[in-house]
Amino acid sequence: MQLTQAGGQRLAESELRDQSQRFLHGLREALRAGATADLDGPEWERVRSVLADISRRRAREGYSPADTATFVFSLKQPVFVRLRAALAHDPARLAEETWDISVLLDKLGLYTVALYQASREEVIARQQRELMELSTPVVQLWDDILALPLIGTLDSARTQTVMESLLQKIVDSGASIAIIDITGVPTVDTLVAQHLLKTVAAARLMGADCIISGIRPQIAQTIVHLGVDLADVTTKATLADAFQIALKRTGGSIGAIPAR
């Protein structure tokens, strides 16, 4: 049996052989211990561990759930051949044993699919967290001044990431002003405004004042229409305007370099 990733890369023969040997050894031990088809039994602990490791690795490496289940289902043919050779003289027992092993391997195959799905969900969740972290960078514009450019929709999960990133940067840098730029936020509704206010409040508790920039005319109208109170928050139309205010508050200035 050969397995191919979505990108076309095949599983190494040595790795497939090792996985097969571990699975078969565990299966043999379970059956010798009198295991039933109930996979929750202690006799199946080693098999469950082997299949969990295989399923997680294949989920991370991009193999399909069908490939993962086929790893177990491919055992049916050689087992059935052995059963026919051993029980050809007893058709009734051959049918019974064939059915029992078929049910067992089906359960093990479906078990790998469930593990694969759980592993893929873990991978997707981790990637989403990493993307949120990448999409909420906190940069230091100047001594004592931070900037947090937001792009895309601001929901509850992302707000938590935003606050954690901003607060940690405030602690690390000791900055007293943070500019939250929402130029890249497509819409601002009541929920988004509440998320922004929570972030501002959290930053203030850490000793940093916040300026919100990127307030476009349509966003200003929306905020007024929604009745959101931003009276205690300094707002500016552009990041440049907010940076000028931040420089004044920190006593900094930018001047042209004289010509030589």
Side-chain angles (χ1 to χ4, degrees), residues 55-56 59 111-125:
S55 298
R56 293 192 183 101
Y111 180 72
T112 64
V113 172
L115 291 172
Y116 176 95
Q117 185 63 31
S119 299
R120 285 299 299 167
E121 290 174 355
E122 291 176 3
V123 170
I124 292 171

Side-chain angles (χ1 to χ4, degrees), residues 106 132 136 200:
D106 285 346
M132 283 196 295
T136 54
V200 170

Side-chain angles (χ1 to χ4, degrees), residues 44-225:
W44 293 108
E45 182 176 357
R46 180 176 178 182
V47 174
R48 291 196 303 267
S49 176
V50 170
L51 291 180
D53 176 63
I54 292 172
S55 298
R56 293 192 183 101
R57 291 178 63 181
R58 295 189 180 182
R60 291 194 300 266
E61 293 169 0
Y63 293 97
S64 71
D67 287 333
T68 306
T70 300
F71 171 77
V72 176
F73 295 150
S74 63
L75 186 60
K76 284 187 177 185
Q77 184 179 6
V79 169
F80 292 162
V81 170
R82 293 289 296 272
L83 284 176
R84 282 196 299 270
L87 301 175
H89 62 284
D90 191 346
R93 188 182 173 193
L94 174 60
E96 181 181 354
E97 294 289 346
T98 299
W99 173 257
D100 288 343
I101 196 66
S102 181
V103 170
L104 174 60
L105 292 177
D106 285 346
K107 285 187 175 182
L108 290 171
L110 293 175
Y111 180 72
T112 64
V113 172
L115 291 172
Y116 176 95
Q117 185 63 31
S119 299
R120 285 299 299 167
E121 290 174 355
E122 291 176 3
V123 170
I124 292 171
R126 175 176 54 79
Q127 290 174 340
Q128 288 176 336
R129 289 193 300 270
E130 292 174 351
L131 284 174
M132 283 196 295
E133 291 171 359
L134 290 173
S135 64
T136 54
V138 182
V139 296
Q140 185 150 2
L141 293 180
W142 205 260
D143 291 340
D144 235 17
I145 302 174
L146 300 178
L148 176 61
L150 297 178
I151 299 174
T153 304
L154 191 63
D155 56 17
S156 299
R158 191 175 178 205
T159 298
Q160 184 63 33
T161 303
V162 166
M163 283 197 292
E164 291 175 358
S165 300
L166 179 59
L167 297 181
Q168 186 60 51
K169 191 67 174 181
I170 290 173
V171 171
D172 295 340
S173 65
S176 61
I177 296 181
I179 301 173
I180 302 176
D181 184 66
I182 62 171
T183 303
V185 177
T187 58
V188 174
D189 54 19
T190 304
L191 190 59
V192 171
Q194 290 175 350
H195 290 328
L196 288 173
L197 291 175
K198 288 180 181 178
T199 304
V200 170
R204 283 177 175 171
L205 289 175
M206 298 300 297
D209 199 10
C210 285
I211 302 173
I212 299 179
S213 64
I215 304 294
R216 304 183 296 279
Q218 59 270 32
I219 289 181
Q221 293 176 17
T222 301
I223 290 175
V224 171
H225 178 72

